[in-house]
Amino acid sequence: MPTINVQMFEGRTLEQKRAFVKAVTEASCQTLGCSAEAVDIVIQEVKREDWASGGILWADKK
């Protein structure tokens, strides 16, 4: 059973999340040969002020 943890910036709609987990589940099943029921996906939403790349907060990037 794969458990997939995804971190993304907050702000996606429920419809976007539904489409995302459906696509990731389908890709996992095709690639790993498992059933959809075996795939768990955890989405963690992060504020831009709590994520940095290259020493710069995403909240400060334009």
Side-chain angles (χ1 to χ4, degrees):
M1 146 182 98
T3 301
I4 302 163
N5 290 288
V6 178
Q7 295 177 325
M8 64 175 76
F9 291 134
E10 62 185 358
R12 292 346 192 272
T13 66
L14 190 55
E15 292 77 24
Q16 288 173 313
K17 291 178 195 177
R18 283 187 181 118
F20 176 75
V21 299
K22 183 178 183 216
V24 171
T25 299
E26 289 173 356
S28 298
C29 293
Q30 289 175 352
T31 305
L32 302 175
C34 62
S35 68
E37 292 76 22
V39 179
D40 290 323
I41 301 172
V42 178
I43 298 174
Q44 297 174 310
E45 292 187 291
V46 180
K47 294 180 181 183
R48 290 181 178 270
E49 64 191 44
D50 295 329
W51 193 316
S53 296
I56 301 171
L57 290 173
W58 275 91
D60 296 334
K61 294 185 177 192
K62 305 263 176 191

